[in-house]
Structure formats: structure tokens, C-alpha cells
Amino acid sequence: MVKVGDKVRFLNSVGGGTVVKINKDIAYVEEEDGFETPILIHECVIIESAKDKSSSPVTKEIKVSQNFSKIQPNDISENDDDNKLSIIETEEGDRINLVLAFLPENAKNLQNGKFDTYLVNDSNYYIFFTYLNKTESGWNTRYSGIVEPNIQIHIEEFGKEDLNDLERICIQYVAFKKDKPFQLKNTASVEHKLDTVKFYKLHSFRENDYFDENALILNIVKNDVPERRFELNGAEIEAAIKSKKDIDTHQKQAVNKKHHRNNEPVEVDLHIHELLDSTTGMSNSDILNYQLDKFREVLENYKNAKGQKIIFIHGKGDGVLRKAILTELKNKYKHYDYQDASFREYGYGATQVTIR
């Protein structure tokens, strides 16, 4: 039970402090800025009891958004080192999704404020993990522990003086379930190169699925697939672009010849993962524009191939890319015929264009 003097964190929002007054079911919490925040008692998680002020504070903190199981203060036992929780599994949770999230404690003062780091376990698996950063002498462990299924765990608080240490970070993990059979998952080590300048820009923190507040989100694992980051210097990027142009040119010539011989339609997959190895730093708008540029490029290459059929695979999804393609065809390529591609082969996920 929360009482005056307890140090608490808020369950459904970022923040916390020391309880200075209790009125019925409302606790008044004094935060670091000296202001008192009224909050429902059941939305407070005790991280240091008043009677234990002389001992070290609890280092394991758990924060849950509306999309995850709710944790009440009495769910966490001070005498239980594992902080056992009732486990709630979801239908889609047997695929591992791990997210590293950074939240500003004061979005109005990014220059001087602190930031909180959370690991989000959006799966039905327990995740044993280590959170590391790279130094000149090697890798340094910043946190290690276990996060329960469908739970978000607070890893650390840091300030701008720590940002230089966070330019290279890594999450290593092992997934498992307790007291029941489960599908074996591969262990992995996922590195990220953080652009620390983003911590000074408010627009870097965006609306997300896991927190009520805007956050800077880094995907660690998506649907069982660990995220991989590729780091290239300027010379390597230039060489890769030149090489890709040479390959694309060769492939286009080969397709043209095959068409004239076999009169077969050409397939072009516009899914972004088929076009790029990584979309790091790209917004949804950037991705859509890249896909449309590829669409226009293909039509330009085949503009003299009368009768050529081209099938653009765009997928169903939210229909954003499909609508953009149809708009292009109606406005810029009116002389071409177009229709939905074979439903049997592509469902509603492709459009066929015939060059006229």
C-alpha cells in the first residue's frame, strides 16, 4: 500500500517522485521540479518504500502502457526477487517483437532534461537480455536482466552528458518460456548506431504503439527477425550505387530480350524491403516517394515496348501505395491501360500496366 514518504513511478505515464500527501484514493507526488502531481494510488508503482530509505533503491522498474497488461502495486512483492507477475499471452505474441524506446522526462526542455530508456517485450516469451554500449576499450554492460512477456521494463535514466557513450549500443537476448513447451527461437545480438543529435530535436520523438508519450523508437526484433544495421562510409556508398546502376542496366536489357522472345509480363516488386536493405532514417513519406520513383523508372525504361505488360506488386496493406500508383496512372500515364493483376496469383496486391 502506498504511503507518505514512498518513492514511486507513475504506471501509465513518464514521471514519479516522493509521496508527500494522501487524500482518500489520491496520492500527491512531489517530482524533481518541486511541483506536486495528484495521481490515483493504484497508478503508482513503489520503487523505494519509506521504511527502506536507508537501503539501496530498487533498480528494477516496470512501466506498462494501455496496450500491455496492467500491473498493480500489490502485484510486485518486495520479498520476491523475480517480481513475479501474472502472465497474459496474446494471439500474435508467439512472434518476438522487441523495441528499445527513449522518452524525454521533460519534452519542453530537451537541452537540459533527462531521458528514460525502456525495453518493450511485445511477445509471449521471457527475454533474458543485456544492454551494452561500445567504448574505446570494448563493450560495456549497462543493464542485464529478464523482462516478462508483454511487459515494458525501465532500463536506465541518462542525461546529455551520457550521450557520447550511447553512439554505439547493442542488445543481446535469449527467448524462452517457463513451465510449458515452446518453439525455440534463435539468440541474437543487434547493434544500433545512434544519431545522438536526435535527442535535441522534438520531432525525433513520435507517436507510437507502446507509450502515451512521444518516444524515439528503435526496432530490435520484428516478427522474429533481428534488425540489422549496415554502416558504410562515403566511398563505399558511392561504389555500391555505381555497382547497383550497372546491375540494374544489365537486368533491364535481359528482361527486354526475354519479353520479345516469350511475350511474358514483367514483375516489379515495390515492397520497400525488396528495393532497399535498410530504411534507417526514412519517414513513411520518404519510403513512398522512393517506391513511386521506382515505378516511374520502370515505365520510362519500357515506354517504347508497345504491348509490354508490367505487373507492379504493391501489396494490400493500408492501400496507400496502390492509391498513389493509380493516381499516377490517371494523371501522368493516361495513354497506358491498367487493371488489377490476376486475383488468383496476386489477390488485390498487384496492378497490371500495358504499354501503348
Side-chain angles (χ1 to χ4, degrees), residues 137-292:
S137 56
W139 288 93
N140 174 54
T141 300
R142 301 181 71 88
Y143 187 99
S144 65
I146 294 177
V147 57
E148 293 83 356
N150 297 305
I151 290 295
Q152 303 164 346
I153 186 171
H154 181 264
I155 295 178
E156 67 173 356
E157 178 187 87
F158 64 91
K160 66 176 184 179
E161 66 277 4
D162 303 309
L163 284 176
N164 288 338
D165 295 331
L166 297 175
E167 289 184 349
R168 289 284 299 278
I169 58 174
C170 175
I171 292 282
Q172 296 179 323
Y173 70 91
V174 178
F176 62 97
K177 290 188 179 183
K178 292 183 178 180
D179 305 321
K180 63 187 300 185
F182 60 91
Q183 184 179 356
L184 195 63
K185 303 291 185 180
N186 291 330
T187 61
S189 179
V190 180
E191 295 182 33
H192 275 275
K193 184 175 181 181
L194 273 183
D195 180 2
T196 54
V197 175
K198 289 185 176 181
F199 287 88
Y200 296 100
K201 299 179 179 179
L202 188 59
H203 67 265
S204 299
F205 301 90
R206 300 181 177 179
E207 187 176 347
N208 58 90
D209 295 332
Y210 302 106
F211 297 88
D212 295 330
E213 300 80 8
N214 290 346
L216 175 59
I217 299 292
L218 294 181
N219 288 320
I220 304 299
V221 186
K222 191 169 184 179
N223 292 328
D224 281 343
V225 181
E227 291 286 313
R228 301 297 183 191
R229 292 291 178 261
F230 299 91
E231 298 174 32
L232 300 172
N233 58 37
E236 289 173 324
I237 293 174
E238 185 177 352
I241 292 174
K242 183 179 183 303
S243 174
K244 189 174 188 306
K245 285 181 179 178
D246 293 341
I247 293 172
D248 286 346
T249 302
H250 174 73
Q251 288 175 335
K252 291 164 190 169
Q253 292 171 348
V255 169
N256 278 328
K257 291 178 181 178
K258 183 175 180 181
H259 161 70
H260 290 305
R261 185 172 60 249
N262 298 325
N263 196 30
E264 294 180 355
V266 175
E267 283 188 1
V268 179
D269 195 336
L270 293 178
H271 285 97
I272 194 63
H273 62 267
E274 294 291 339
L275 304 178
L276 294 173
D277 291 328
S278 172
T279 58
T280 304
M282 297 178 69
S283 66
N284 290 338
S285 176
D286 294 334
I287 291 173
L288 178 61
N289 287 332
Y290 189 92
Q291 292 169 310
L292 288 176

Side-chain angles (χ1 to χ4, degrees), residues 31-66:
E31 300 191 60
E32 290 183 357
D33 56 12
F35 288 97
E36 291 183 10
T37 301
I39 187 166
L40 292 171
I41 288 177
H42 69 263
E43 292 188 3
C44 296
V45 176
I46 301 173
I47 61 173
E48 184 180 355
S49 176
K51 65 180 180 181
D52 295 330
K53 287 287 187 179
S54 59
S55 61
S56 299
V58 177
T59 57
K60 185 174 183 181
E61 305 168 13
I62 301 173
K63 176 184 182 296
V64 182
S65 78
Q66 57 186 0

